[in-house]
Every structure is written in structure tokens, then in C-alpha cells.
Amino acid sequence: MKKLFILLLVLGITISPVFAQTQPAQQPTPTSEELEQQKAERKKNAYRLLDQIIDEAQSLRLPENRVRVQTTAADVLWDSNPGRARSLFTMAAESVAEMGRQQQNTNNRRGGPQNVERRAFQLRQELVLAAARHDAQLAYQLLAITKPAALPAPQVANARMPRAQFSPEDNLEQQLLGRIAALDPKLAAQNADQMMEKGQFPRSLSEVINNLYKQDPDAASKMGDRTVKKLQATNLLTNVEAASLAQMLLMRGPRPNGTPNVANPTLIPVLEQGPYAELLGSVVEIALKATPPSPQNNQRGQIQRARPVAATVAGPGYVPPPGANEAQLEQQGALRLLAGLQIALPLIDQYVPAKSAAVRQKLSESGMGANSPFNMAQSLSAMQGNPTSDTLVQAAANAPQQAQTRLYQQAALKALEEGNVDRARQIATNHLQANARDSVMQRIDFRELSLKGENARLDEIRQTIARLTSDGEKLNMILQLARETQKANPKLSNQLLDEARQMTNHRATSYEQFDWQLKVARAFATVDPARSFEVLDPGISQLNELLAAAAVLNGFEINMFREGELSIQGGGGLTSMVQRFGQELGALADKDLERAETLAGRFQYAEARIMARLAIVQGLLGLSRPTTPGQVNVFRN
């Protein structure tokens, strides 16, 4: 017994450490205080890194690069240090103004006046709209400071069609108006009134009025009345901008009981019922002046009728047909207004019942029946929001033939999303054909595989994925299955991620393959961040090689560098890819800041390092990812 006791004791001493090492480490749940400390540490590191970026940017030669860094830094710093942010905005504005003054001295070589002017205007736009998120008065000050001495004349498509196109300055003012509407609605309302006095009808008026309602309902109601009276006093047949605003206001419907309808924030009604009825009646009277196109050459007539319908809400870029006389221009305008009324027929029945039958007859005479392009657009609008599979099936049944396949396909995919595999299969079998049906059936097969959970086998998945035609489709499906099996079958999910890694573990030969690497890195980020860094590392090395090659070829096949410096924005696909790699590093920064900074520092060009480090600042502060290169507003929550 003594020997047995000693043997058991020895075995216990030797086995216990081994057993302990095999157990997964249990990470204690951090307390609220610890979470706050972690958040504070991330902010501290973010602002430390941002200081380094601002200092490094001073060595950049291209003024637009410095301006973009200053603008982005100011945008990020505003909440924590508004004084310094304001100073950075002002410094950026001075540089933009200087670029404008230098335009006069730029010669006509390639990359000369027109390109300089375009770059300066884009910088000005980014700067002003970024400031407008924080201080409306500052934004207008920057707009004035950076205004060029000589502005290009507005391009008017036809002397009889006023304001068919915006000048860049008008366009920027209207964007600014929409941006400050939420920040300072009373100032926005004053500026909107001034624009209407000058004959401008900004599309952002709806935002201004709705935001003003939150602060001063009476003032908003009066502004709605003024807007309707201005529109009624304008020739909507020839003024495309005014007609577009009128149609947009009508499409939103009347404001119910004087309160906004928040069910769909993108379509909040603007006008109260009285002004709405007045505007609707005016537009109906004008639209009824439309003359149906000649039935001669029926096929050609249908094409001609379709064009004004497709441009129902014509934007500032609308250009009337070349050589059109005044009568033809007015007919084009009447047809556009008439097409826009089709979606408002129930409201016409309610507010202008005496004209309801005439509108329907005119629509029919003008070729805007069941298979018109506008009706197809109405059917496709059923996919907006979050419709159910049954809603989409019903919409498809009543839709023009051109729209049915797309709607039924969306209905089947929606049923799959709802977890009703049998319903998805039924819709695909009964209503889809050929490629559309096969595509949905493949999605159904993969969904069933993911639902098997523990019973799913890797070889079975490989066989199913092998039926896909392209490597991109295979990779996307592997990553989708990895996500869907993560909880039910983590072992299988990890195996799938390894499969995806093997597919991308080589030098990219196209931007698409770089994109695959980024997708795999993002997939690993939630389960094994270290693997994400491993995926990104060789991609950064290859980007350095490509940037060096682009610098050698600059001026011959490509133009990404000016004065020997990479442009932070507008350099094409390669610059965009550098930004995207930086964004992935930013997403990983809160998991391993040291490694994220190390990889960002591996970019050989200072401009690329700055882009990556800005993305890391963004990640540490929990700000949303950029969507378009050069848009500084992406650094906001």
C-alpha cells in the first residue's frame, strides 16, 4: 500500500501540469472599470499616433497630401481638442486658398490648370464638408476663405432651360446646406431662403425643413409654405431643378398631423397637408399639358416615351435633347412630371379627386402602362427596406415581365435568410429558370450544409464547392460557410478558414486577388487575429514592390506620383489597395496595437505609412471605416 501510494503521488505530480496545459485558458470577464481603462488607453494611443502623423505630414511636398492629413486630423480631434482642430482646419484652408491663387500661374502642360483646379476644388469640398459636421459658421468661413478669385461660369445646357446644370460652386453650397441642416437648422433655413431668392432650388431643402421642425415647428411650416409658393411661381416645364424638387416633395407624401413619419427616415414627409395639396394640384395641372408622342413608328415612339420616364426625377446633370425647340422642351418637362405622378395616384385621388381620371387617362395615352420603365422601377422598389419573402413574391406576381425574375430571385434568397429552406426551393423551382434558378439552388445547398453543424464533413463541402465556376465564388462560399458554422461547429469553421488561407497564400496577380487576401484576413480577425497579420504581411511587401515599380513608370504608363510623391487620394487602384490594407490594420489595432503599428511602418513610402496609421487611429477610436478614398467624413461614428 505504501508503494502504491507513492506511485500515485508521483503520477499526480507529473500529470497535473500536463493536464493543466491542455485546458483552455479561461479569460476572466473584464469589469466595467477595466473596460473603461482599456478604452482610455486606446484613446491615449490613438492621439499619440495622430500627433506623430501630423508631424510626419509636415515633410510631405504635395499640398493636397498635407491638406488631407490636416483635415482628417481636425475631424478626429474635434471632440477632444476643438481648439487644435479649428487651427488645423484653418491651416488646411490657407493651403487650399494658396493652390487656388497658383492656378493662374500654372502652364498648359499635362497635369496643368484643369487638373490643378479640379484637385483644389475636391480638397475644398472635403475640407468644408468636414468642418460642417462640427461648426456651421466655421464651415461657411472656410467656404469663403477658399473661394477662388475667378469662378468658372455655370454650364447651362440650353438658354431656354435655366439651371439645367449646376456650377461646381452651386453644388458645393447645396451639399453644405444639407450637411449643416442637422447642426444648425435655423442658419440652414436662412441660407436656403437666400438660394431660392437667387432662383436656386436645392434638393436638400427637405432635410432643412425636417430638421427645422424639430427645433421650431412654426418656422418650418412657414418655410414649407414659402417653398411651395416659389415652386408655383416657377416654370416647372423648363426649370429641371425646380421640377425635381417638386417631385421629390410630392413623393414623400404629406406630413401626417403635423408630425414627421419616422417609419422610413429616408422618406420623411416634408410639407403639411395644405401646402402639399396646393403643390400637388399645381403639378397635376402642368403635367396634364403633356401631349402623347406620335404613334407613327411605334417601336421608335416607345423608346422616345421611355426616356423622359426614366429621368422622372431629373438631376442637375439632365441635358435636354440637342436642337430641341421651346415647345419640345416643355413637352419633355410635362412628360417627366406626368411620370412622377404615377406613384402619387392614391394621393391624387384624395387631394385632387376631380383630376384623378384625367391623370390616369393621360398616363395611358402617354405609354406609361403596366410594362413601362417607370412601373418596372416601382416594382423593383419593393426590394427597398426589409420586405419579407411573401411581400417580394406578391410584388413579382404584379410586376412587369422585365422585373419578375429579379424579384423572384430576391424572394427566394429572402426566404433562405428567414430560415425557410423549403420555401426558397419552392420559389426557385416554380418561378426561376436556367442560371437564376441554378444560382439560388447552389445557395440552398450551401445553407443546408451549414445547418448540418457537427455532421458536416469537409470532403462533402469540398465536393459541393467544386461545382462553382470561379475561384472568387469558391472563396466567398468558403468564408460564408466558415461564418455560419463558427458557433455550431468551430472545428469545421477553422478548417474552412485554413482552406481559404491556402487559396490566397501566394503573390497576387490582380487587384481581385488582393481583395481575396483582405477577405481572408478579415475572417481570421474574430477568431485568430495573429493569422490576420500573417495574411496581411506578404501583401504589404508586394504593395511596396508595386509602388516602387509605379514610381519608375510614372509619366509613361501611369501617373500616381507628382513631384516624386504618392498622392494620398486619386492614385487609382494601387492607392486604393494601400488604403484598404491600412483599414484592415486599423480593425486589428485594438487586438494588437504593437503589431499593427509595425506592419504599418513596413510601408516604404511615407504617404502609404500615413494612410495606414490614420486607419489605425480610426480603429482605436472606434470610428467607422472609410468607404471612398479621400472622404474625410468616414472618420466619424
Side-chain angles (χ1 to χ4, degrees):
M1 290 297 294
K2 184 182 292 186
K3 291 180 180 180
L4 180 60
F5 175 76
I6 294 172
L7 177 61
L8 291 173
L9 181 62
V10 171
L11 287 174
I13 293 171
T14 56
I15 292 174
S16 294
V18 176
F19 178 77
Q21 290 175 8
T22 61
Q23 300 305 306
Q26 296 294 325
Q27 297 294 335
T29 302
T31 65
S32 58
E33 291 182 358
E34 290 172 337
L35 290 174
E36 285 298 320
Q37 289 176 357
Q38 293 172 7
K39 183 178 179 181
E41 186 66 21
R42 285 196 299 270
K43 282 188 175 182
K44 178 181 176 181
N45 286 323
Y47 293 130
R48 168 188 58 77
L49 185 56
L50 189 58
D51 284 338
Q52 296 176 8
I53 293 169
I54 294 170
D55 291 340
E56 188 173 10
Q58 298 307 309
S59 64
L60 296 175
R61 290 185 292 275
L62 291 179
E64 53 260 49
N65 280 347
R66 294 195 301 273
V67 166
R68 284 199 167 92
V69 173
Q70 291 165 347
T71 302
T72 302
D75 198 23
V76 173
L77 278 170
W78 187 274
D79 292 338
S80 64
N81 192 342
R84 189 180 184 197
R86 188 180 295 273
S87 175
L88 286 168
F89 274 132
T90 303
M91 290 171 60
E94 291 170 354
S95 296
V96 173
E98 179 61 25
M99 287 181 67
R101 288 190 290 269
Q102 290 178 355
Q103 288 178 22
Q104 303 299 324
N105 302 322
T106 309
N107 59 31
N108 292 321
R109 68 181 184 276
R110 186 177 182 181
Q114 292 184 348
N115 284 339
V116 172
E117 182 179 337
R118 184 176 63 251
R119 292 198 303 271
F121 179 79
Q122 186 173 358
L123 286 170
R124 184 172 177 239
Q125 182 179 37
E126 294 170 13
L127 170 66
V128 169
L129 296 182
R133 276 189 299 276
H134 310 290
D135 189 319
Q137 294 288 356
L138 174 63
Y140 278 105
Q141 290 172 12
L142 298 181
L143 181 71
I145 291 172
T146 56
K147 188 173 184 178
L151 290 171
Q155 297 179 355
V156 179
N158 190 294
R160 295 184 300 274
M161 199 162 195
R163 300 199 59 76
Q165 291 184 337
F166 286 134
S167 72
E169 189 70 16
D170 289 340
N171 189 42
L172 178 54
E173 286 187 21
Q174 295 208 16
Q175 289 184 68
L176 178 56
L177 182 69
R179 183 64 59 84
I180 69 166
L183 190 65
D184 191 341
K186 288 193 174 181
L187 176 62
Q190 293 173 6
N191 291 335
D193 279 330
Q194 292 174 6
M195 295 175 79
M196 284 194 290
E197 287 297 326
K198 293 189 295 184
Q200 301 176 25
F201 292 90
R203 292 173 61 84
S204 51
L205 259 173
S206 58
E207 300 173 57
V208 175
I209 296 175
N210 274 327
N211 279 286
L212 189 58
Y213 256 105
K214 301 173 186 177
Q215 190 176 92
D216 190 339
D218 184 59
S221 178
K222 291 178 180 177
M223 186 171 188
D225 290 342
R226 292 196 301 273
T227 300
V228 169
K229 287 181 172 57
K230 286 286 185 183
L231 289 170
Q232 289 176 318
T234 304
N235 187 352
L236 300 183
L237 292 174
T238 56
N239 191 316
V240 178
E241 185 185 356
S244 176
L245 176 61
Q247 288 179 299
M248 183 172 63
L249 293 173
L250 293 178
M251 288 173 64
R252 291 171 177 252
R255 186 180 293 274
N257 301 321
T259 59
N261 177 9
V262 295
N264 186 346
T266 61
L267 291 176
I268 296 176
V270 178
L271 301 175
E272 293 187 355
Q273 295 186 16
Y276 182 89
E278 289 182 23
L279 181 60
L280 182 60
S282 298
V283 171
V284 165
E285 288 288 345
I286 297 171
L288 288 175
K289 296 180 181 179
T291 302
S294 171
Q296 297 177 353
N297 193 353
N298 187 49
Q299 183 177 4
R300 179 175 176 81
Q302 289 176 356
I303 296 173
Q304 289 176 341
R305 287 194 297 272
R307 283 176 181 166
V309 176
T312 302
V313 180
Y318 171 76
V319 179
N325 58 36
E326 188 170 355
Q328 290 171 326
L329 290 174
E330 291 192 349
Q331 280 303 304
Q332 286 282 328
L335 285 169
R336 281 196 309 277
L337 290 172
L338 180 64
L341 290 177
Q342 193 161 9
I343 199 172
L345 284 174
L347 291 163
I348 294 174
D349 294 339
Q350 180 179 355
Y351 291 102
V352 198
K355 301 291 183 181
S356 180
V359 171
R360 284 178 166 81
Q361 181 178 353
K362 185 69 71 171
L363 284 167
S364 177
E365 292 173 355
S366 300
M368 302 177 195
N371 291 320
S372 72
F374 185 74
N375 262 357
M376 184 168 70
Q378 276 189 285
S379 299
L380 293 177
S381 70
M383 292 185 292
Q384 302 299 317
N386 189 27
T388 65
S389 57
D390 290 338
T391 301
L392 289 167
V393 168
Q394 184 178 2
N398 298 321
Q401 186 175 359
Q402 305 98 305
Q404 286 183 344
T405 296
R406 184 176 175 187
L407 284 168
Y408 279 125
Q409 191 171 19
Q410 290 294 323
L413 295 176
K414 186 64 178 180
L416 200 58
E417 182 183 322
E418 293 166 350
N420 194 338
V421 176
D422 292 338
R423 175 65 167 154
R425 195 185 302 277
Q426 179 190 36
I427 295 171
T429 301
N430 294 344
H431 301 291
L432 297 176
Q433 297 179 359
N435 294 337
R437 183 185 60 237
D438 293 343
S439 175
V440 173
M441 288 300 189
Q442 283 180 348
R443 295 285 294 273
I444 292 173
D445 290 342
F446 288 123
R447 175 55 61 88
E448 289 181 330
L449 274 176
S450 69
L451 293 175
K452 286 186 177 181
E454 292 288 347
N455 297 324
R457 296 179 302 176
L458 187 59
D459 56 348
E460 183 181 0
I461 291 175
R462 284 172 175 162
Q463 292 173 10
T464 306
I465 289 176
R467 300 203 304 265
L468 297 176
T469 56
S470 72
D471 289 340
E473 288 179 315
K474 293 175 183 178
L475 180 69
N476 287 335
M477 194 52 63
I478 288 173
L479 294 176
Q480 178 182 330
L481 285 174
R483 287 192 302 270
E484 293 178 349
T485 58
Q486 181 59 47
K487 292 183 178 179
N489 192 345
K491 180 180 177 182
L492 174 62
S493 178
N494 291 335
Q495 290 175 326
L496 290 169
L497 288 178
D498 286 335
E499 293 274 318
R501 177 70 180 108
Q502 292 175 18
M503 288 184 65
T504 58
N505 193 20
H506 56 77
R507 286 177 62 85
T509 58
S510 65
Y511 288 126
E512 182 183 27
Q513 292 185 7
F514 270 129
D515 183 61
W516 296 350
Q517 293 178 7
L518 292 168
K519 287 180 178 179
V520 173
R522 193 172 307 132
F524 273 117
T526 57
V527 294
D528 190 353
R531 298 289 300 276
S532 293
F533 288 111
E534 291 174 3
V535 174
L536 296 174
D537 195 346
I540 291 174
S541 297
Q542 188 177 353
L543 286 172
N544 282 330
E545 296 175 17
L546 293 173
L547 288 172
V552 173
L553 290 172
N554 197 63
F556 291 90
E557 298 297 328
I558 53 179
N559 289 283
M560 289 177 54
F561 291 78
R562 290 193 304 278
E563 300 179 22
E565 188 170 290
L566 174 69
S567 176
I568 288 179
Q569 191 272 335
L574 193 53
T575 303
S576 176
M577 197 55 63
V578 171
Q579 291 174 326
R580 292 184 60 194
F581 267 75
Q583 291 161 22
E584 293 306 322
L585 291 176
L588 292 165
D590 65 334
K591 298 178 176 67
D592 191 337
L593 174 59
E594 182 178 357
R595 193 163 183 184
E597 285 196 72
T598 299
L599 284 189
R602 290 196 55 214
F603 280 109
Q604 294 175 356
Y605 285 85
E607 306 88 273
R609 289 195 301 271
I610 286 173
M611 284 189 277
R613 286 170 176 163
L614 280 173
I616 290 175
V617 171
Q618 165 200 1
L620 291 173
L621 295 176
L623 304 178
S624 58
R625 291 186 175 195
T627 55
T628 303
Q631 289 186 340
V632 295
N633 61 328
V634 298
F635 289 93
R636 308 307 308 161
N637 285 315

